[in-house]
Amino acid sequence: MNSPFFEKSKEIADNFIQNILFVDDQIYGKGERNHNLDIPQLLKTFEKAKKLCALSNPQTEEDFDNIIEVAKKADVIVLDWKIILELPKEDVADEEDVEEIDIRGAFTIKLIKHLLQEKQNEIKLIVIYTGEIELPGIVRSVLTACNDDLQDESANIIGKPNFRIVVAGKPTLKGRLNHTPELKDWIIEYSDIYNKILNEFTKMTEGLISNVALQALTSIRNNSFKLLNIYNKAVDPAFLAHRAMLPIVDEAGDILKESIVTSIKAILDYDEIENTCSYSHITKWVDQVNLSSKTFKINNKKELNITKKEIKHWQKEGFLKSFISIWSEQFPHDNLDITKLESIYKNNLHKEAITYFTPWGLDIGKIEEKFSMMTHHKSNFSSPSYIPKLSLGTIVKGNKTNKYWLCIQQKCDSVRIMEDEARRFLFLPLEQVEEGKKFNFLIMNGDVPIRLLVENATHNIRTIKFKSNKNGAVYARKYGKSNKYFFNPFYYKDHKEYNKKYDENFIWIFDLKDEHAQRIANIYSSKLSRVGLDESEWLRRWSGN
């Protein structure tokens, strides 16, 4: 029986899944009877689940190549193992993808490899739904073909956290597995196939954060046509008039981008997606996971026992209020030093809080770092075609000094740069600090976190000149075979001697989210507004300054 949290996660996943792609060369029943699909029964199942079911019946290699592109867009993909296409025998023999693989699964393997390579950072569920008797052999073939990309999770399930492949038998296998009765559990009836798909998809997505993300995406999907109706062609003349009045016309699209982003945020606000991780969902999560009981030291003599009950109390009331109550329950005759508890809350809690919420057997690893980067990195979603632009929140590193810098130039001063103008950009230095010391944000160098602290003293500001190189802004460039993007400063013609220590290019590292970058800029600006004066020391102390 599934836990309440899994059932809630399953409901959220069900709302998200919209379409399932079936790929089978015998969809219309032209081949072997043992491999046929009962299409009317299949469609009835998905109609009952209120899902779109796309049926693809490839006959040629060109058909299959088109299907690969369709599969990239599908929420779930169901593939036959034995897909026979109209290919000359010599082409099959030379097919690179079929080496050391059962020839019957050559095209299925080809599709899996494409998705593994091109969708490696996305969640994908594939079901191999076949009439072949040798089901364990299919598992071995997929594992062999994908080398170290996938691992076996159970007898008929292979994959990794975000990529899952289920090997299952068609109902036509019933009565044909007398010598391997243990494989009968691998058969999925047509009436149960969507529920099986939903269960396996939920196993990849069940989690507090992933549930919120799924709910958000579902809200956006449900309102996509409303967005299209709002941003309609009737207002094109107003947009063109806006563009015509701008000094740099190519900036016109920015206002539409910001407006659409605001509209999407409004959708999420009105749908109250944050309720998906409310206290009621958290209690279900706590009940499901295996949390070890721990102790919490208040002083040298007293330790509080922290079980699931206390964890729930902590999540409901917050640290100070809940721990005062927990102390009263466990030590009813002893007084609690509130000042000591407040000191722990302020100075030490962030160093160990995660240990109380980490399920047994799960490596804490860099979970805190990953969550932190998720909340303050904007460039998590940069596409291969993205070219970094120098603006508020851009973090760069000198290619000679290896010094990190944060650009605090306001967005409005980072654009509309005339063609021959060299503009100064404002930067604050970032100090690379050791673990355990204070820092503002971090990046990952492989598996090693680099912690960066903003040196925001007023005298640390640095200005560096750059020239616009595209649409009135400063864009980074790649050089040679390097995958890195560089911002190139502008040096005057009379800059006679290249200073080997300070004259350098700057490597783009990542972009901070706008709110985080603006907060740092505001803190720096507030320091500029301080007033220093000489006055009576007696008066200064009485005034509290």
Side-chain angles (χ1 to χ4, degrees):
M1 183 177 178
N2 293 328
S3 69
F5 184 75
F6 185 87
E7 288 299 321
K8 184 60 184 178
S9 300
K10 188 174 174 181
E11 177 188 328
I12 293 168
D14 183 33
N15 291 334
F16 170 78
I17 296 174
Q18 290 188 345
N19 57 76
I20 296 92
L21 172 66
F22 270 80
V23 182
D24 196 317
D25 63 335
Q26 295 188 30
I27 279 181
Y28 302 115
K30 294 181 179 179
E32 298 177 40
R33 181 177 146 189
N34 290 331
H35 292 267
N36 287 345
L37 283 170
D38 187 337
I39 298 303
Q41 184 63 38
L42 195 66
L43 292 176
K44 185 177 179 180
T45 298
F46 286 101
E47 286 168 2
K48 185 177 180 180
K50 300 176 178 61
K51 307 299 174 186
L52 295 172
C53 178
L55 304 175
S56 184
N57 186 69
Q59 297 300 305
T60 66
E61 189 172 13
E62 182 181 358
D63 292 343
F64 198 83
D65 289 341
N66 292 332
I67 288 169
I68 290 175
E69 296 304 312
V70 176
K72 295 175 186 177
K73 303 173 183 178
D75 293 338
V76 180
I77 304 132
V78 182
L79 290 163
D80 192 8
W81 179 248
K82 183 181 178 181
I83 297 178
I84 306 299
L85 304 181
E86 297 174 3
L87 284 174
K89 290 183 179 180
E90 58 271 18
D91 288 353
V92 175
D94 293 338
E95 180 62 53
E96 180 181 351
D97 290 326
V98 303
E99 187 177 336
E100 296 183 4
I101 301 171
D102 185 341
I103 189 64
R104 289 169 293 183
F107 292 100
T108 299
I109 290 293
K110 181 179 179 180
L111 190 147
I112 290 172
K113 281 188 168 184
H114 269 277
L115 293 179
L116 270 173
Q117 181 179 357
E118 298 185 31
K119 300 293 181 180
Q120 55 184 311
N121 295 320
E122 300 179 16
I123 281 182
K124 278 294 177 185
L125 172 63
I126 297 174
V127 179
I128 297 176
Y129 199 41
T130 180
E132 295 289 321
I133 295 177
E134 186 52 40
L135 297 175
I138 293 174
V139 174
R140 291 191 296 270
S141 293
V142 175
L143 284 172
T144 299
C146 297
N147 299 320
D148 298 328
D149 289 334
L150 302 175
Q151 297 178 342
D152 53 329
E153 297 183 17
S154 65
N156 70 321
I157 298 175
I158 55 181
K160 54 184 180 178
N162 67 315
F163 200 101
R164 198 173 185 87
I165 301 174
V166 180
V167 178
K170 294 177 179 177
T172 54
L173 278 178
K174 287 187 296 185
R176 299 171 56 215
L177 298 175
N178 295 329
H179 298 293
T180 52
E182 69 277 5
L183 297 181
K184 291 181 180 179
D185 291 338
W186 293 35
I187 296 174
I188 302 178
E189 298 289 347
Y190 294 122
S191 59
D192 194 44
I193 188 166
Y194 177 68
N195 188 55
K196 180 67 175 177
I197 286 172
L198 181 56
N199 277 333
E200 296 303 327
F201 191 91
T202 305
K203 288 176 184 177
M204 291 193 294
T205 62
E206 62 168 330
L208 292 166
I209 290 178
S210 50
N211 280 349
V212 174
L214 273 182
Q215 189 64 55
L217 293 171
T218 301
S219 295
I220 294 170
R221 277 181 165 184
N222 291 342
N223 286 275
S224 57
F225 290 100
K226 183 185 291 185
L227 275 173
L228 289 173
N229 186 50
I230 292 172
Y231 294 91
N232 63 76
K233 61 183 181 181
V235 292
D236 285 355
F239 167 71
L240 294 176
H242 164 75
R243 179 184 172 95
M245 291 184 282
L246 292 176
I248 298 179
V249 294
D250 286 334
E251 292 179 5
D254 290 347
I255 192 172
L256 292 180
K257 178 178 69 176
E258 295 299 329
S259 180
I260 292 171
V261 167
T262 303
S263 297
I264 291 174
K265 184 179 184 304
I267 289 170
L268 304 183
D269 287 341
Y270 291 134
D271 279 0
E272 298 179 319
I273 64 165
E274 66 277 7
N275 290 340
T276 311
C277 62
S278 65
Y279 176 69
S280 63
H281 296 293
I282 290 172
T283 58
K284 293 182 178 72
W285 182 90
V286 173
D287 287 335
Q288 173 179 290
V289 301
N290 184 7
L291 293 176
S292 302
S293 297
K294 296 181 181 296
T295 58
F296 194 98
K297 183 178 287 188
I298 300 295
N299 53 46
N300 293 331
K301 297 181 179 180
K302 302 291 184 182
E303 290 183 342
L304 296 176
N305 293 317
I306 307 298
T307 66
K308 286 190 174 184
K309 174 187 173 183
E310 286 74 29
I311 289 292
K312 291 178 182 178
H313 197 172
W314 188 351
Q315 285 293 322
K316 184 176 183 180
E317 302 288 350
F319 176 74
L320 290 175
K321 191 174 181 179
S322 66
F323 272 63
I324 291 172
S325 178
I326 294 168
W327 177 279
S328 299
E329 291 177 6
Q330 298 186 13
F331 302 105
H333 304 297
D334 296 330
N335 292 326
L336 173 63
D337 185 348
I338 302 297
T339 304
K340 176 67 175 176
L341 195 65
E342 291 176 341
S343 176
I344 293 173
Y345 175 71
K346 182 178 180 180
N347 300 313
N348 297 316
L349 187 60
H350 61 286
K351 299 176 183 177
E352 57 179 326
I354 191 173
T355 61
Y356 294 90
F357 307 104
T358 304
W360 186 87
L362 178 65
D363 182 15
I364 294 178
K366 303 301 178 185
I367 296 176
E368 292 275 32
E369 286 82 355
K370 290 177 181 177
F371 181 70
S372 166
M373 291 171 62
M374 184 171 64
T375 60
H376 72 264
H377 278 221
K378 181 165 69 174
S379 44
N380 286 335
F381 297 96
S382 60
S383 64
S385 61
Y386 172 71
I387 301 176
K389 181 172 72 171
L390 191 58
S391 184
L392 176 68
T394 303
I395 291 179
V396 299
K397 183 177 75 168
N399 69 326
K400 291 183 178 178
T401 60
N402 289 322
K403 179 72 176 177
Y404 291 91
W405 298 89
L406 166 64
C407 179
I408 61 169
Q409 188 95 332
Q410 290 299 308
K411 287 188 173 183
C412 56
D413 292 327
S414 303
V415 295
R416 302 183 184 180
I417 305 173
M418 296 297 106
E419 187 174 345
D420 294 326
E421 177 187 356
R423 182 171 295 183
R424 294 186 181 275
F425 280 71
L426 303 176
F427 290 86
L428 285 175
L430 303 173
E431 179 187 357
Q432 189 173 333
V433 299
E434 298 176 355
E435 185 175 0
K437 293 186 177 181
K438 289 185 177 181
F439 64 97
N440 295 106
F441 36 80
L442 52 82
I443 57 175
M444 298 297 292
N445 182 14
D447 293 328
V448 179
I450 297 176
R451 295 168 171 83
L452 300 173
L453 176 69
V454 179
E455 300 180 63
N456 57 9
T458 56
H459 57 268
N460 282 331
I461 195 75
R462 180 183 179 186
T463 63
I464 307 174
K465 277 193 173 184
F466 294 89
K467 265 194 169 185
S468 165
N469 54 7
K470 182 183 176 183
N471 297 336
V474 178
Y475 286 86
R477 292 178 176 175
K478 285 184 178 180
Y479 292 92
K481 296 181 180 179
S482 174
N483 290 323
K484 297 178 180 178
Y485 278 99
F486 292 85
F487 291 104
N488 302 322
F490 169 75
Y491 296 109
Y492 289 110
K493 292 180 179 179
D494 59 356
H495 189 81
K496 296 179 180 178
E497 187 174 346
Y498 190 80
N499 190 308
K500 294 182 179 179
K501 184 176 181 181
Y502 296 109
D503 293 350
E504 59 184 346
N505 295 325
F506 294 89
I507 305 167
W508 175 75
I509 303 300
F510 74 95
D511 296 321
L512 273 180
K513 288 185 177 180
D514 295 343
E515 297 84 356
H516 287 264
Q518 189 60 57
R519 180 177 64 178
I520 293 170
N522 289 349
I523 292 173
Y524 178 78
S525 299
S526 67
K527 292 191 174 187
L528 290 175
S529 63
R530 291 180 302 167
V531 178
L533 53 86
D534 288 330
E535 61 180 332
S536 162
E537 186 64 14
W538 175 83
L539 176 62
R540 186 188 70 80
R541 295 195 178 205
W542 273 109
S543 65
N545 293 323

